[in-house]
């Protein structure tokens, strides 16, 4: 019983975090047909902005989170306007956008190494302290992380499905030609998507800096899990991605609790492979044409 | 209101339109007739800005469209209903219609416009909560027309409204288009056969191999069956 509760609790924490990372990735895939390989580095930008603000400038945690999200969105804005807009709509976008992602990712990772050095750093928790339900230890900090993640996922879903600009993002993703014929300025939509996606990655990075240690490798780890979740949920599908985030989160947590931490990652990858054999376009995949 | 002069356009290196000139006046219904693959779709896509012309000029109400973005062209009131309808498959019928009113001016009047569209196409009201991909071919055509009408269109350009529909549905689509035209909207329509221009079109252009090879009032064109037969087979 305790094991079960422990596993579910862990699954919800992981799922919320994966969801934030993966949703940004899937939005960019949906709108721009680009696999943003710099997504993990944007996560790091958020982490290190939060670290700089909290540990060096002694800014309180809540404004630091907001500034980290905004600051990462500005980086996304720069990537779109300075780099991606130059190759958008031209032949070779598929490969070109991958190269931009790898290049930007390297530039960010190495800049962080230059500025902050190779040493692993530590951040204080958002709210310290724990409480227990039975023998399951609940960490206040994790609860805050889950709450912020869930709130941002809900807000984003409402924005995408109810507002004029949110619907326009979906329209551009589903049928770009028709979207243009409705008067939707596709380049502006791409820019908005890139900023939202970057802000989510930055917020995830800042939030998780209070959970994990602050180190450069965490960006790549976050990117890998986000990729697993997006592929699992069907690239480009918002609903599928959110479901997939919690399914993968729960799976990882159950494997950890019942079979040991070492089985978690191999188990998740095995599950993803099986899933791709059975449903090649993912859980809620939008069909052949939109797959990688 | 719409004036196209010596338009040249194509894809990549290949030129499809060789100096096309045509005109649509206020409140007119104009039909471009021509066989498949002779440039009707290219012409409409060039007017709506999806394809950049390599030469020539497109004017609408005194504004030069030839170097505007598609979004700015829609804002002038030239609205293109594309071949194959191109609905947003994972959005509901209602959301599809709302996207037709995306531009700020139209968005402010979206409630009234929605009522008008539902009045004209009652089936869309019944289906409003359904995903667009679940619609039948006829319903999709109605959705495409309705979505176009949600904008502040002054000129509606419709590419092959009869494509892939059963004959009784084609009749219905043309009746709706006739009503839309009579309500004051200019219509520029592309089609590959002359079956439906009687009672609908004011004027007709014949487009062959990317050039206008004939022009006249609908009555003249229909009388001149030899000409139509020669071009349309």
């Amino acid at each position: 019983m305790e094991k079960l509760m422990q596993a579910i609790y862990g699954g919800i924490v992981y799922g919320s975090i994966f969801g934030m990372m993966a949703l940004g990735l899937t939005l960019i895939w949906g709108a721009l047909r680009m696999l943003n390989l710099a997504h993990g580095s944007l996560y790091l930008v958020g982490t290190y902005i939060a670290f700089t603000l909290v540990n060096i400038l002694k800014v309180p945690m809540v404004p630091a989170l907001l500034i980290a999200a905004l600051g990462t969105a500005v980086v996304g804005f720069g990537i779109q306007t300075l780099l991606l807009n130059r190759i958008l709509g031209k032949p070779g976008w598929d490969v070109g956008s991958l190269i931009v992602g790898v290049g930007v990712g390297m530039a960010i990772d190495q800049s962080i190494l230059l500025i902050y050095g190779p040493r692993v750093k530590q951040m204080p928790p958002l709210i310290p302290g724990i409480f227990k339900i039975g023998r399951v230890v609940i960490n206040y900090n994790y609860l805050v992380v889950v709450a912020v993640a869930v709130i941002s996922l809900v807000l984003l879903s409402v924005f995408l499905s109810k507002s004029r600009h949110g619907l326009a993002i979906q329209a551009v993703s589903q049928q770009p030609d028709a979207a243009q014929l409705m008067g939707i300025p596709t380049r502006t939509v791409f820019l908005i998507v890139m900023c939202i996606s970057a802000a989510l990655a930055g917020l995830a990075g800042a939030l998780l800096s209070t959970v994990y240690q602050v180190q450069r490798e965490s960006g790549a780890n976050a990117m890998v899990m986000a990729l697993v979740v997006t592929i699992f949920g069907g690239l480009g599908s918002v609903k599928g991605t959110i479901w997939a985030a919690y399914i993968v989160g729960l799976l990882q947590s159950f494997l950890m609790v019942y079979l040991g931490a070492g089985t978690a990652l191999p188990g998740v990858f095995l599950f993803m492979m099986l899933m791709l054999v059975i449903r090649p376009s993912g859980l809620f995949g939008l069909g052949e044409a939109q797959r990688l | 209101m719409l004036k196209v002069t010596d338009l040249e356009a194509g894809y990549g290196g290949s030129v499809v339109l060789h100096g096309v000139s045509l005109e649509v006046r206020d409140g007119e219904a104009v039909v471009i007739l021509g066989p498949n693959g002779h440039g009707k779709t290219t012409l409409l896509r060039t007017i709506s800005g999806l394809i950049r012309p390599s030469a020539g000029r497109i004017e609408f109400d005194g504004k030069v469209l030839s170097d505007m973005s598609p979004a700015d062209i829609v804002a002038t009131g030239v609205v293109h209903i594309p071949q194959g309808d191109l609905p947003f498959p994972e959005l509901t019928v209602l959301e599809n219609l709302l996207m037709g009113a995306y531009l700020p001016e139209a968005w402010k009047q979206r409630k009234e416009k929605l009522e008008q569209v539902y009045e004209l196409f009652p089936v869309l009201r019944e289906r409003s909560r359904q995903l667009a991909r679940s619609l039948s071919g006829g319903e999709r055509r109605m959705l495409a027309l309705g979505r176009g009408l949600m904008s502040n269109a002054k000129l509606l350009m419709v590419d092959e409204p009869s494509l892939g529909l059963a004959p009784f549905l084609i009749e219905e689509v043309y009746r709706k288009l006739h009503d839309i035209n009579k309500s004051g909207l200019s219509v520029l329509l592309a089609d590959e056969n002359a079956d439906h221009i009687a009672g609908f079109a004011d004027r007709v252009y014949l487009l062959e191999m990317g050039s206008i090879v004939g022009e006249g009032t609908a009555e003249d064109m229909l009388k001149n069956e030899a000409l139509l037969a020669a071009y349309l087979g």
Side-chain angles (χ1 to χ4, degrees):
Chain A
M1 190 62 204
E2 275 138 29
K3 271 191 163 181
L4 182 66
M5 273 189 62
Q6 183 70 51
I8 292 174
Y9 165 64
I12 291 171
V13 173
Y14 290 128
S16 306
I17 295 162
F18 295 163
M20 276 178 86
M21 279 301 284
L23 201 56
L25 209 56
T26 214
L27 279 178
I28 293 207
W29 173 260
L32 282 137
R33 290 293 177 277
M34 165 190 179
L35 180 62
N36 183 15
L37 291 174
H39 203 60
S41 303
L42 291 170
Y43 170 99
L44 277 188
V45 171
T47 299
Y48 278 88
I49 290 179
F51 170 78
T52 311
L53 290 171
V54 173
N55 278 28
I56 302 176
L57 303 173
K58 307 296 176 206
V59 176
M61 203 60 209
V62 174
L65 282 181
L66 287 176
I67 297 171
L70 279 177
T72 315
V74 170
V75 175
F77 183 93
I79 295 172
Q80 184 72 36
T81 49
L82 298 177
L83 299 169
L84 288 176
N85 273 350
R86 288 167 192 266
I87 57 169
L88 195 63
K90 297 198 178 124
W93 164 255
D94 297 359
V95 180
S97 61
L98 285 176
I99 294 173
V100 167
V102 172
V104 168
M106 274 191 197
I108 290 175
D109 292 0
Q110 300 311 313
S111 309
I112 286 172
L113 179 62
L114 277 177
I115 299 168
Y116 295 94
R119 276 188 34 215
V120 173
K121 296 172 177 65
Q122 202 75 45
M123 291 263 287
L126 283 157
I127 301 176
I130 55 166
F131 66 98
K132 285 186 176 180
I133 301 176
R135 276 160 60 192
V136 180
V137 178
I138 311 270
N139 196 314
Y140 282 118
N141 196 40
Y142 283 21
L143 288 186
V144 177
V145 169
V146 170
V148 175
V150 169
I151 289 169
S152 47
L153 291 184
V154 169
L155 284 180
L156 190 65
S157 306
V158 171
F159 167 75
L160 284 173
S161 58
K162 298 283 177 243
S163 76
R164 171 170 164 257
H165 290 291
L167 285 171
I169 290 174
Q170 294 199 60
V172 170
S173 306
Q174 292 172 22
Q175 184 43 262
D177 263 11
Q180 283 191 294
L181 293 177
M182 309 289 106
I184 298 171
T186 41
R187 282 185 178 244
T188 313
V189 169
F190 293 155
L191 188 57
I192 295 173
V193 169
M194 181 56 88
C195 289
I196 291 175
S197 166
L200 275 177
L203 185 60
L207 273 178
L208 292 195
S209 66
T210 67
V211 175
Y212 304 122
Q213 289 168 321
V214 176
Q215 55 179 336
R216 276 188 314 133
E217 289 72 23
S218 53
N221 294 340
M223 172 83 199
V224 168
M225 287 319 289
L227 196 55
V228 169
V229 167
T230 22
I231 292 172
F232 188 81
L235 271 164
S237 158
V238 170
K239 190 177 72 175
T241 301
I242 294 178
W243 276 105
Y246 285 99
I247 292 172
V248 173
L250 283 167
L251 179 70
Q252 176 172 336
S253 180
F254 271 85
L255 287 170
M256 278 181 170
V257 171
Y258 286 95
L259 297 176
T263 63
L265 268 184
V268 167
F269 278 105
L270 186 67
F271 191 56
M272 185 185 82
M273 282 185 248
L274 286 176
M275 167 83 191
L276 284 178
V277 172
I278 301 162
R279 279 193 63 98
S281 53
L283 200 56
F284 293 86
L286 297 176
E288 201 72 20
Q290 302 185 4
R291 249 197 302 150
L292 245 185
Chain B
M1 63 190 324
L2 180 77
K3 199 166 157 56
V4 175
T5 324
D6 298 330
L7 192 68
E8 256 179 46
Y11 303 89
S14 66
V15 182
V16 177
L17 301 177
H18 305 277
V20 170
S21 299
L22 60 82
E23 196 179 356
V24 182
R25 300 182 201 115
D26 248 327
E28 257 188 334
V30 175
V31 176
I32 305 163
L33 284 177
N36 259 338
H38 282 236
K40 298 188 304 288
T41 297
T42 307
L43 175 59
L44 296 191
R45 286 173 70 88
T46 309
I47 296 174
S48 56
L50 292 177
I51 299 170
R52 289 250 156 257
S54 43
R57 195 176 163 84
I58 306 164
E59 267 178 81
F60 182 72
D61 279 349
K63 298 180 198 102
V64 180
L65 304 189
S66 354
D67 40 37
M68 282 189 193
S69 74
D72 292 337
I73 291 174
V74 176
T76 67
V78 177
V79 172
H80 178 176
I81 294 167
Q83 191 176 52
D85 305 327
L86 312 185
F88 304 117
E90 306 294 321
L91 295 185
T92 64
V93 167
L94 174 65
E95 288 164 345
N96 266 273
L97 291 172
L98 286 175
M99 280 297 96
Y102 172 80
L103 289 176
E105 287 302 309
W107 188 257
K108 278 180 220 145
Q109 306 156 23
R110 64 188 183 281
K111 295 233 163 62
E112 301 91 82
K113 285 178 176 295
L114 202 56
E115 269 316 303
Q116 289 165 11
V117 168
Y118 281 161
E119 199 118 312
L120 192 62
F121 303 109
V123 66
L124 295 183
R125 192 196 299 271
E126 288 163 34
R127 299 270 184 269
S128 65
R129 303 274 159 208
Q130 261 174 257
L131 291 185
R133 68 176 151 89
S134 70
L135 298 183
S136 70
E139 290 163 350
R140 278 168 55 129
R141 190 65 38 86
M142 305 299 173
L143 176 59
L145 292 173
R147 193 174 61 174
L149 290 172
M150 289 294 291
S151 65
N152 280 338
K154 295 180 196 154
L155 170 67
L156 211 55
M157 299 198 295
V158 194
D159 197 354
E160 295 228 32
S162 58
L163 187 76
L165 291 189
F168 75 99
L169 281 171
I170 298 178
E171 292 299 326
E172 191 182 343
V173 166
Y174 267 90
R175 261 203 311 279
K176 300 285 187 195
L177 283 168
H178 187 64
D179 293 346
I180 291 165
N181 179 230
K182 286 301 154 219
S183 74
L185 221 65
S186 310
V187 176
L188 175 62
L189 195 147
D191 211 337
E192 58 171 347
N193 61 62
D195 298 350
H196 309 284
I197 60 175
F200 172 76
D202 297 310
R203 285 185 308 115
V204 175
Y205 290 93
L206 292 180
L207 184 68
E208 199 200 36
M209 303 292 280
S211 303
I212 299 285
V213 293
E215 180 198 343
T217 63
E219 291 82 36
D220 291 349
M221 281 292 179
L222 287 168
K223 269 183 234 153
N224 197 345
E225 276 179 33
L227 183 73
L228 282 181
Y231 285 114
L232 304 171

